[in-house]
Amino acid sequence: MLKLALCEDNPEQRLAMQEILRSYASQRPELTIQFFIFDSGYKLLAAEEDEKFDLFVLDVVMPEISGIELGVKLRELGSSGIIIYLTISPEYALDSYSTRAFQYLMKPVQPAHFSSVLDQAIAELNSCRTASLTIKTHDGWQLARLDHIIYAELADRAIRYHLSDGRRLDSLTIRTPFQTEIAGLLADSRFALCGATLLVNLYYVIAVEKTALRLDSGEQLPLARSFASKVRQRWNDYWLNSIKKNI
């Protein structure tokens, strides 16, 4: 089951998008999609606390709260859902960077192109859901999705994984160097070392400062000087290339 939230304040455009979404779902019977329709960003935010949507289709220009501001608030709530923006102007494209948007589409939306974007978004969502790491802890083996790992650090000769749901998982005592233990994560473009014993998921980083990384939760992680240049480049590549690809 996929939960998709559409937020569009214009009644005519909202109905048009509903028809496009219904047509998309009817052409893909293998998917089970539940649609939630909102005319206000604040109504969507209230519903997100209970529903935890997988996909968001958001108008950018809305009177009460813009789509960009809405995206920022969704990230502050801890949502990792995929965001697709709809707008009549390209001037907000770079602003969508702060919300980690998947795609930025110009209105009027072309049904065929929109369907293609949704296919890509759902494929990425499924890929994120299946990519996981098994961690051996004192309580037995634990499974953690890679997209839920915010950062990992060496703590008392074990690796402590900080997850997006607030949990912390501590591995058993490691017998090999930290970087050897997390080599599998480093092979994923989302992850980067920001110190000899600290690994971060770039998806959650909103700013690379001189001596720290700022996460979307407000937390800051120390950034070792010798790692700063490489982390900044990897973060830029990860996000800027994504934006160029999806505008």
Side-chain angles (χ1 to χ4, degrees):
M1 167 72 75
L2 294 173
K3 294 182 178 181
L4 186 152
L6 166 67
C7 189
E8 168 64 74
D9 67 303
N10 183 290
E12 293 183 1
Q13 294 182 18
R14 188 167 61 248
L15 285 173
M17 285 305 305
Q18 285 179 249
E19 287 304 315
I20 291 174
L21 289 171
R22 289 195 188 100
S23 175
Y24 175 84
S26 69
Q27 294 172 32
R28 287 157 180 78
E30 73 279 5
L31 298 177
T32 302
I33 307 176
Q34 187 175 6
F35 297 110
F36 297 77
I37 312 300
F38 301 94
D39 59 7
S40 159
Y42 288 115
K43 292 179 182 177
L44 188 157
L45 286 172
E48 165 65 12
E49 295 187 12
D50 295 322
E51 298 296 343
K52 304 300 180 186
F53 300 113
D54 301 299
L55 292 164
F56 300 93
V57 179
L58 309 178
D59 184 24
V60 170
V61 181
M62 294 186 288
E64 294 182 323
I65 178 174
S66 75
I68 302 297
E69 293 170 324
L70 176 56
V72 170
K73 289 186 178 297
L74 286 169
R75 297 308 187 208
E76 290 175 349
L77 288 173
S79 172
S80 58
I82 288 178
I83 295 177
I84 298 171
Y85 280 120
L86 310 177
T87 186
I88 58 173
S89 171
E91 65 179 295
Y92 301 101
L94 287 180
D95 291 335
S96 68
Y97 173 75
S98 63
T99 69
R100 306 192 299 269
F102 178 78
Q103 182 66 277
Y104 192 93
L105 300 178
M106 298 295 294
K107 296 180 178 180
V109 174
Q110 301 302 312
H113 182 48
F114 184 72
S115 294
S116 175
V117 170
L118 274 185
D119 284 341
Q120 295 171 40
I122 292 172
E124 178 157 318
L125 185 63
N126 289 335
S127 175
C128 288
R129 285 177 168 178
T130 56
S132 59
L133 177 71
T134 52
I135 304 166
K136 193 172 185 179
T137 72
H138 289 288
D139 296 322
W141 288 98
Q142 302 285 334
L143 189 68
R145 280 172 42 182
L146 298 192
D147 61 322
H148 286 179
I149 298 173
I150 301 175
Y151 64 96
E153 61 180 336
L154 186 64
D156 297 325
R157 293 185 297 168
I159 299 180
R160 176 167 294 162
Y161 297 89
H162 297 256
L163 308 183
S164 59
D165 61 5
R167 291 185 299 146
R168 296 190 312 186
L169 292 179
D170 287 352
S171 73
L172 296 181
T173 300
I174 62 175
R175 307 295 181 186
T176 57
F178 176 80
Q179 293 185 33
T180 301
E181 291 286 332
I182 50 86
L185 292 178
L186 277 176
D188 189 303
S189 63
R190 288 173 286 186
F191 293 90
L193 282 169
C194 51
T197 58
L198 183 60
L199 176 85
V200 67
N201 187 336
L202 298 172
Y203 180 83
Y204 295 96
V205 176
I206 61 172
V208 180
E209 299 170 349
K210 287 185 177 180
T211 59
L213 299 177
R214 186 150 46 92
L215 306 183
D216 58 3
S217 63
E219 185 176 2
Q220 290 194 342
L221 298 181
L223 176 60
R225 181 174 298 178
S226 58
F227 287 81
S229 177
K230 189 171 182 180
V231 170
R232 186 173 290 107
Q233 185 61 54
R234 191 156 181 170
W235 183 70
N236 286 339
D237 290 344
Y238 181 72
W239 285 115
L240 294 179
N241 288 342
S242 177
I243 288 177
K244 289 176 183 177
K245 177 183 70 176
N246 290 324
I247 290 177

